[in-house]
Amino acid sequence: MDIIVADNLVRQFYTKEKPEGSFQLLKALFSFKKQSKNVVDHVSFTVRKGDIVGYIGPNGAGKSTTIKMLAGVLVPTSGTVHVNGIEPHMNRKRHAGQIGVVFGQRTQLWWDLPLIESFKLLGKIYDLPKERFKHNLDMFTDILDMSSFLSTPVRQLSLGQRMRGDIAAALLHEPEILFLDEPTIGLDIMAKEKIQSFLQEINKEKEITIILTTHNMDDIEKLCHRVIFIDKGQILFDGSTEIMTAEFGGFRYLVVDAPNWEEAAWNGPPVERREDSQLFFRIEDDKQVASMIKQLSDLLDIHNLTVQEPKIEDVIKQLYQRIGH
Amino acid sequence: MGKYAAYTITTLKNTQVYKFDLLLRIMNSFILVIAFREIWKAIYANGQGLALSTGVTSQGMQTYAMLSVILFAIMPPSISYEISDKVRDGSIVFDMQKPWDFEWMHFSKAAGVFVFNVVYAVIPQLIAVLLFFPIDYPAGMQAAAFAVSVLLAFLLSFLINFIVGMLAILFTETWGIDMFKSVIIDICSGAMIPLWFFPDAVSRVLLWLPFQGIFNIPLSLFIGKITGAAVWEQLAFQAVWCLLLLLLSRMILAWIERKLVISGG
């Protein structure tokens, strides 16, 4: 079942045109010429219930603008969105009950009050019956491991703790869809993994649909079934992570362990990446492998040698490069 | 209704976090109370026949000035900076995607701050003023009218604030607009200088504007400059302006919700 249907979504923003020539400042003061720009430019996609979709792209690609339209806080310039059959901005209050929103860089928690106060208030705002509120709160406190800091003022929480609080806050009213904007930004590995496994769990158990924007490839690798890649307001790729790897991957790395490699004296094939003593050489075609090993063993003292599949990160880098970033 | 009450209570809890800040604010306000009283005492001591020409005695004027400072403390704080900050960093989304009415939500918040200010600022200050200075205070119906008038003044002030805050969503840069609002209210409401000291033509115009409903009317009621049938007239004046501004704010809110201009890509 398609829970989100976006059809030809466009969102225009206006920027003031900058006058040219002499007296620029003065002209700018009295100029009302506007330039319009499609931040989201005829975007169409559908999302099935229970999917985890990674919505990725460079900064300013139109990710947040799309999310804002799906959340019903921004009206599309043209095109339509339906979430569970509702047009979000036409029926904002009803829509609010079926979605939860988390922004990694901002918080909806009350900065100066104990964390629990924000939860209590949200329970009231969403008119949750007492038992259901208590049940949900206990459950999230348990799986997000929040009991030790429930009564700590939010300003004293670590970023990881605050993030868990924000995610619980977005889920207390049992929404069907969760929008996450960079949920793991700035977190350490432990905190990141805690949040990733939590998201997997609620997705599996409650069939919550998750739309996730991120610059953290780890999130996509671990969580997403599907990736939508957007740039300059347009969708450039939409499909499963496997298809993406096949289409934009299509290469492998020959990884050579050679401790006495010197960059200045090197005249062999180009080294794409270096991790400690490991050198990464790119192979577009499997037929190259044998000849490259031969070439390298002539030039280097090789301790170890492997062939590796590219990580999603590499695939995305490939995508970025192809669109000229 | 429960959600708005809960929001008021949470705001109330939130305002009580910084105790030292509160203490400083009370002291600050009390210094102003004394300063304004001294200024008007000095003016009356040097002005020939002021009491006669204005119909307000020196003591009445001192009361007006002191109460004006105290009343200032309960007027809702400006929300335009908060709103424009939220618009700029995008966290306005959290407020916009909740199942509540945006104006009611802001009113609940203002109400929380109001209760806090009455309990922690106004009551201690009133007690201090009553203990240290001789003032004339109203009784009976006049006192009741004053109380109603203060509530209406609060409402007026909230609505003006909210409308200016909505403009913050449209323009994102609000410092100028908010400054303009503050200056207009300070001067046109009678908060600093009572309207009867303005030139006739000016005060006649100001008496038709909503701003005088915030300070001039409640303060005049308190010192007994407005009495009898005029009391009802003035309360009605405040109520009518509240209604007009409420309508205006609903129209602006509806328009903004249709447009919803939120920055950030």
Side-chain angles (χ1 to χ4, degrees):
Chain A
M1 190 192 106
D2 288 334
I3 196 164
I4 300 176
V5 182
D7 186 24
N8 265 311
L9 267 187
V10 176
R11 177 66 206 199
Q12 237 166 29
F13 278 126
Y14 293 101
T15 44
K16 233 176 172 180
E17 204 171 287
K18 216 172 164 189
E20 311 242 326
S22 45
F23 302 109
Q24 273 185 20
L25 282 176
L26 207 61
K27 276 186 196 161
L29 205 57
F30 295 103
S31 125
F32 292 95
K33 261 192 201 162
K34 283 178 180 170
Q35 258 175 340
S36 69
K37 184 185 162 204
N38 286 353
V39 178
V40 172
D41 195 6
H42 296 93
V43 160
S44 305
F45 59 86
T46 58
V47 176
R48 280 202 324 267
K49 190 173 166 58
D51 259 0
I52 304 185
V53 178
Y55 198 55
I56 58 174
N59 290 321
K63 297 184 302 262
S64 301
T65 307
T66 316
I67 298 276
K68 280 173 187 161
M69 287 191 281
L70 295 180
V73 296
L74 199 61
V75 183
T77 308
S78 70
T80 55
V81 202
H82 285 92
V83 180
N84 247 347
I86 301 179
E87 262 194 281
H89 67 276
M90 300 294 282
N91 210 330
R92 213 149 42 76
K93 278 190 201 174
R94 231 181 88 205
H95 182 56
Q98 59 178 8
I99 61 164
V101 181
V102 176
F103 287 100
Q105 315 212 51
R106 294 143 211 155
T107 181
Q108 65 166 324
L109 305 169
W110 287 65
W111 201 242
D112 291 320
L113 294 180
L115 182 57
I116 183 86
E117 295 288 345
S118 293
F119 293 152
K120 281 187 191 158
L121 179 61
L122 284 166
K124 286 278 184 348
I125 289 172
Y126 287 101
D127 292 318
L128 278 182
K130 258 209 176 100
E131 313 79 59
R132 245 175 70 203
F133 170 73
K134 208 185 157 313
H135 171 261
N136 291 354
L137 182 63
D138 288 347
M139 180 182 70
F140 290 132
T141 306
D142 186 39
I143 37 182
L144 281 169
D145 202 9
M146 298 191 298
S147 53
S148 62
F149 56 86
L150 262 186
S151 46
T152 311
V154 173
R155 62 167 189 276
Q156 291 170 13
L157 298 182
S158 73
L159 189 58
Q161 291 172 330
R162 205 215 74 204
M163 203 57 231
R164 280 182 269 163
D166 256 308
I167 290 178
L171 289 170
L172 267 180
H173 60 286
E174 302 166 22
E176 290 180 62
I177 303 164
L178 182 61
F179 295 107
L180 294 161
D181 195 4
E182 304 196 36
T184 55
I185 193 163
L187 298 185
D188 62 54
I189 290 182
M190 293 296 286
K192 211 186 278 180
E193 280 179 356
K194 223 175 234 174
I195 282 172
Q196 285 167 345
S197 64
F198 171 74
L199 291 175
Q200 265 170 339
E201 198 174 326
I202 54 152
N203 169 255
K204 212 173 279 165
E205 277 177 22
K206 311 222 152 192
E207 264 212 303
I208 294 180
T209 311
I210 298 176
I211 311 276
L212 170 94
T213 80
T214 186
H215 290 292
N216 186 356
M217 295 317 147
D218 201 38
D219 290 344
I220 293 174
E221 211 161 304
K222 293 218 175 100
L223 295 173
C224 299
H225 313 146
R226 176 178 156 203
V227 171
I228 298 178
F229 187 91
I230 178 174
D231 185 52
K232 300 200 178 86
Q234 290 174 327
I235 292 180
L236 298 186
F237 175 83
D238 179 356
S240 70
T241 39
E242 291 86 36
I243 294 178
M244 181 173 78
T245 313
E247 198 166 314
F248 295 94
F251 61 88
R252 287 196 275 181
Y253 285 118
L254 182 66
V255 185
V256 174
D257 194 6
N260 47 11
W261 178 76
E262 274 172 49
E263 187 165 9
W266 182 244
N267 56 2
V271 176
E272 183 142 315
R273 204 165 72 223
R274 208 181 141 199
E275 283 168 17
D276 298 322
S277 63
Q278 291 193 322
L279 305 174
F280 288 71
F281 296 94
R282 194 154 139 180
I283 322 164
E284 305 285 351
D285 192 339
D286 283 354
K287 287 176 201 143
Q288 289 179 313
V289 177
S291 62
M292 191 174 275
I293 292 176
K294 190 158 177 280
Q295 191 186 359
L296 290 175
S297 57
D298 287 345
L299 293 163
L300 286 168
D301 175 21
I302 295 174
H303 289 197
N304 194 5
L305 190 147
T306 49
V307 175
Q308 277 183 16
E309 292 293 323
K311 289 185 183 159
I312 297 252
E313 193 181 328
D314 302 315
V315 176
I316 303 258
K317 216 182 269 164
Q318 193 73 11
L319 257 169
Y320 276 72
Q321 269 163 10
R322 196 171 295 189
I323 55 171
H325 272 276
Chain B
M1 275 322 287
K3 62 182 83 168
Y4 300 109
Y7 201 71
T8 300
I9 291 166
T10 309
T11 308
L12 191 57
K13 284 181 188 160
N14 197 46
T15 43
Q16 299 185 44
V17 172
Y18 296 105
K19 304 253 159 49
F20 189 65
D21 177 63
L22 170 71
L23 189 70
L24 282 181
R25 265 173 48 203
I26 295 179
M27 277 169 56
N28 192 7
S29 165
F30 198 68
I31 292 169
L32 276 178
V33 165
I34 298 170
F36 269 77
R37 176 176 180 268
E38 290 304 318
I39 289 170
W40 284 103
K41 224 168 116 183
I43 292 173
Y44 264 76
N46 292 295
Q48 298 291 315
L50 262 183
L52 217 63
S53 63
T54 60
V56 178
T57 62
S58 173
Q59 196 185 321
M61 193 54 230
Q62 288 166 36
T63 307
Y64 183 104
M66 288 192 287
L67 211 67
S68 163
V69 176
I70 296 174
L71 215 52
F72 209 89
I74 55 171
M75 290 309 156
S78 185
I79 55 169
S80 31
Y81 296 108
E82 183 198 323
I83 291 187
S84 76
D85 275 353
K86 283 186 170 177
V87 169
R88 207 167 302 153
D89 78 4
S91 50
I92 189 95
V93 169
F94 292 127
D95 292 342
M96 290 291 204
Q97 76 51 234
K98 294 269 149 46
W100 57 19
D101 181 279
F102 199 60
E103 187 166 12
W104 261 110
M105 172 275 234
H106 274 285
F107 184 73
S108 321
K109 195 172 188 175
V113 179
F114 176 79
V115 173
F116 171 79
N117 281 330
V118 167
V119 173
Y120 289 96
V122 172
I123 291 177
Q125 278 183 10
L126 272 183
I127 293 172
V129 167
L130 286 172
L131 281 178
F132 293 123
F133 306 113
I135 70 167
D136 306 315
Y137 46 86
M141 279 304 288
Q142 190 83 10
F146 167 73
V148 172
S149 178
V150 167
L151 290 179
L152 287 168
F154 172 78
L155 203 57
L156 270 177
S157 181
F158 165 77
L159 287 165
I160 292 171
N161 257 330
F162 184 74
I163 290 168
V164 173
M166 290 290 95
L167 297 180
I169 291 189
L170 290 180
F171 297 117
T172 46
E173 191 51 64
T174 44
W175 193 82
I177 306 173
D178 206 76
M179 206 56 202
F180 185 68
K181 178 208 76 184
S182 302
V183 170
I184 293 286
I185 289 186
D186 284 352
I187 293 174
C188 301
S189 67
M192 298 226 186
I193 305 158
L195 295 187
W196 55 84
F197 283 104
F198 282 85
D200 257 3
V202 178
S203 75
R204 223 173 297 141
V205 174
L206 293 185
L207 283 175
W208 282 106
L209 298 179
F211 310 108
Q212 70 124 340
I214 305 176
F215 285 97
N216 186 45
I217 294 178
L219 292 174
S220 299
L221 280 169
F222 193 89
I223 62 168
K225 195 168 194 318
I226 301 170
T227 49
V231 171
W232 298 111
E233 243 169 60
Q234 295 301 307
L235 290 181
F237 175 89
Q238 285 179 300
V240 168
W241 264 114
C242 279
L243 266 177
L244 288 176
L245 290 174
L246 181 66
L247 277 176
L248 180 63
S249 70
R250 295 314 294 186
M251 276 160 55
I252 296 179
L253 182 62
W255 186 68
I256 281 180
E257 289 195 333
R258 250 201 331 271
K259 262 193 72 167
L260 288 175
V261 198
I262 293 167
S263 54

